[in-house]
Amino acid sequence: MTNTVENLTVVNDSLTAPRYAIEYPTELWSEVAKGLFIGGTADDDVDIQKTVPAIQKKDFDTVVTAYAWANPCDWFVKEIRFGFYDGTMEDFNPAELEDIVSMAYADWKRGLRVLCRCQAGMNRSSLICALILMKDGYTADQAIALIREKRSKHALFNKKFVEYLKSI
């Protein structure tokens, strides 16, 4: 079964969005709550020949990177790396995210600028950011709505991620 809904495609009850099917944010990073950001990775920030890191201390204090091909951040930026696929969540134990979310949440609550980033800043980074917001008292629905308001109406189009958030 294939249907198109708001530029997203439903295939066998799973929501997918090819790059050309949705409008991706034009800005690399979006502030979701004061000091808490969701973002992607610039296309040229996966080039191993790059000499100047794209993310520097002037930008963020802590960065959670969920995209394995992203270049590392600059010196003095705490970077927490956990590359995982934008898929079904069956390739890793979601409990592994708890430590990462706890560290990022603690830094955010201390007033540090925290970025959750993946490739496009739509699903993996939004999942992590939603978990941070939920740790702060938001319900899954409130966190998802805020992320979609601040980043993109298409953010968290991965149905499995949304189901996971609503299940905890």
Side-chain angles (χ1 to χ4, degrees), residues 46-114:
V46 296
D47 181 356
I48 59 172
Q49 301 300 317
K50 191 169 185 164
T51 58
V52 178
I55 297 177
Q56 300 177 356
K57 183 67 176 168
K58 67 179 176 55
D59 302 311
F60 299 102
D61 302 295
T62 302
V63 176
V64 179
T65 301
Y67 179 45
W69 298 114
N71 280 331
C73 297
D74 204 0
W75 295 86
F76 306 109
V77 176
K78 179 197 284 183
E79 184 174 15
I80 307 162
R81 294 184 73 94
F82 184 62
F84 61 97
Y85 297 116
D86 182 359
T88 64
M89 296 182 67
E90 293 174 3
D91 53 339
F92 71 95
N93 180 351
E96 292 177 83
L97 288 177
E98 183 57 36
D99 287 340
I100 293 165
V101 167
S102 292
M103 286 187 283
Y105 176 76
D107 285 355
W108 177 51
K109 292 313 282 184
R110 285 191 355 220
L112 301 179
R113 291 172 48 92
V114 174

Side-chain angles (χ1 to χ4, degrees), residues 4-157:
T4 301
V5 180
E6 292 184 13
N7 294 330
L8 300 179
T9 304
V10 179
V11 179
N12 297 330
D13 295 327
S14 183
L15 198 54
T16 61
R19 276 199 169 281
Y20 58 84
I22 66 173
E23 297 172 23
Y24 283 81
T26 56
E27 63 280 342
L28 192 55
W29 308 313
S30 302
E31 191 169 22
V32 175
K34 185 173 177 16
L36 182 62
F37 295 77
I38 295 175
T41 302
D43 289 341
D44 68 346
D45 197 21
V46 296
D47 181 356
I48 59 172
Q49 301 300 317
K50 191 169 185 164
T51 58
V52 178
I55 297 177
Q56 300 177 356
K57 183 67 176 168
K58 67 179 176 55
D59 302 311
F60 299 102
D61 302 295
T62 302
V63 176
V64 179
T65 301
Y67 179 45
W69 298 114
N71 280 331
C73 297
D74 204 0
W75 295 86
F76 306 109
V77 176
K78 179 197 284 183
E79 184 174 15
I80 307 162
R81 294 184 73 94
F82 184 62
F84 61 97
Y85 297 116
D86 182 359
T88 64
M89 296 182 67
E90 293 174 3
D91 53 339
F92 71 95
N93 180 351
E96 292 177 83
L97 288 177
E98 183 57 36
D99 287 340
I100 293 165
V101 167
S102 292
M103 286 187 283
Y105 176 76
D107 285 355
W108 177 51
K109 292 313 282 184
R110 285 191 355 220
L112 301 179
R113 291 172 48 92
V114 174
L115 169 66
C116 304
R117 72 171 175 159
C118 57
Q119 184 175 12
M122 297 290 282
N123 279 312
R124 290 169 284 185
S125 57
S126 293
L127 171 66
I128 294 166
C129 189
L131 290 168
I132 292 169
L133 291 169
M134 290 169 66
K135 195 167 188 68
D136 199 49
Y138 286 73
T139 66
D141 287 332
Q142 290 169 331
I144 293 165
L146 181 62
I147 288 166
R148 288 179 175 162
E149 174 192 338
K150 299 291 186 170
R151 180 67 180 155
S152 166
K153 66 182 180 180
H154 300 295
L156 282 168
F157 61 78

